[in-house]
Amino acid sequence: MDDALSGEDDLEVAIEASKQLAELLKLAGFNLRKWSTLPPLEKVTKRIVASEMAQLFDPLGLVGSVVMSAKMFIQRLWAIHNPWDEELPESRVWWIRFRGEIPELSMLKVPRRVLANTNNHYALHCFCDASDHGYGSCVYVVSPNGKGLYQCQLLIAKSRVAPLRGLTIPKLDLCAALFGSQLMEKVRTTTNFSGTAIFWSDSSNVLH
């Protein structure tokens, strides 16, 4: 980990915390640099939104629902053909509120020890679903903890917005199923997971 993410409600407290953090890490030979914040926006344009959206780094999809909301917002901007540097209409209110809530993600804690035991008795469960806004898939690891109970942990998730041309829900469900099978294949070929793979879908078209 080479980044630190934190925040305070008071500016003076935040400055003091940053100084203490820098001094503490300097004792171990680490030099903190490239400080970054989310300053208030005086103007919201499509260029600014796209730039800030690119800063949402979530390779495992652990905050996929948050990123998906941002993707859907950007898709709507493309649909109304706003110029890159022209101030957005009333939709800018949504983005200002959204970016203001991003620091709250620092309070999110996701266990990364996904196995409850050291043996290979576990299963991979892949869930696929879609709506008229988008589709996605996620993989959970389910393993016994040796006490007669099972532990279920999210391993990875991916999502995509639905095309603007408008696909039917059955087609989007099929896209989600294909997406899920590709995600599972990636998990099984890039890790040492070899447990049973189980796929879940509530679409009768997919099941057939």
Side-chain angles (χ1 to χ4, degrees), residues 42-74:
E42 297 181 359
K43 184 178 181 180
V44 181
T45 66
K46 186 163 68 173
R47 187 184 304 277
I48 291 175
V49 169
S51 175
E52 293 188 339
M53 168 63 192
Q55 299 175 36
L56 297 177
F57 183 66
D58 182 33
L60 294 180
L62 302 180
V63 291
S65 58
V66 176
V67 176
M68 187 66 171
S69 297
K71 289 180 179 178
M72 291 165 54
F73 178 77
I74 291 179

Side-chain angles (χ1 to χ4, degrees), residues 1-205:
M1 175 63 71
D2 58 0
D3 293 307
L5 177 64
S6 184
E8 298 289 346
D9 294 327
D10 184 87
L11 179 59
E12 292 183 0
V13 175
I15 294 175
E16 179 60 29
S18 67
K19 290 180 179 179
Q20 293 182 13
L21 180 61
E23 293 173 359
L24 181 63
L25 292 181
K26 191 175 183 180
L27 295 175
F30 296 100
N31 181 30
L32 281 182
R33 54 195 181 93
K34 296 188 299 185
W35 294 91
S36 177
T37 61
L38 292 165
L41 281 178
E42 297 181 359
K43 184 178 181 180
V44 181
T45 66
K46 186 163 68 173
R47 187 184 304 277
I48 291 175
V49 169
S51 175
E52 293 188 339
M53 168 63 192
Q55 299 175 36
L56 297 177
F57 183 66
D58 182 33
L60 294 180
L62 302 180
V63 291
S65 58
V66 176
V67 176
M68 187 66 171
S69 297
K71 289 180 179 178
M72 291 165 54
F73 178 77
I74 291 179
Q75 187 185 55
R76 291 195 295 271
L77 293 185
W78 255 252
I80 61 178
H81 304 292
N82 261 73
W84 278 96
D85 297 308
E86 181 179 304
E87 178 125 26
L88 297 181
E90 60 276 1
S91 60
R92 69 182 183 275
V93 176
W94 186 93
W95 183 258
I96 293 173
R97 184 175 67 250
F98 173 82
R99 71 191 300 274
E101 295 174 351
I102 289 178
E104 296 182 17
L105 292 176
S106 62
M107 296 184 291
L108 180 66
K109 298 184 183 299
V110 181
R112 298 317 299 146
R113 182 182 174 86
V114 296
L115 290 177
N117 55 67
T118 56
N119 55 43
N120 292 327
H121 296 155
Y122 59 85
L124 301 175
H125 290 254
C126 180
F127 292 83
C128 311
D129 203 359
S131 73
D132 54 353
H133 296 298
Y135 58 93
S137 178
C138 57
V139 176
Y140 285 84
V141 181
V142 179
S143 57
N145 63 4
K147 300 179 181 179
L149 300 176
Y150 283 83
Q151 170 183 292
C152 179
Q153 296 288 357
L154 175 64
L155 178 64
I156 189 171
K158 294 292 181 182
S159 60
R160 290 180 180 171
V161 293
L164 286 174
R165 64 180 182 270
L167 294 180
T168 63
I169 295 296
K171 286 185 178 180
L172 289 171
D173 279 326
L174 290 171
C175 288
L178 175 61
F179 199 34
S181 66
Q182 293 171 339
L183 183 61
M184 180 70 81
E185 180 66 15
K186 184 176 182 180
V187 168
R188 301 192 69 170
T189 56
T190 58
T191 68
N192 60 356
F193 282 106
S194 58
T196 302
I198 302 171
F199 293 85
W200 297 86
S201 174
D202 62 356
S203 168
S204 58
N205 289 291

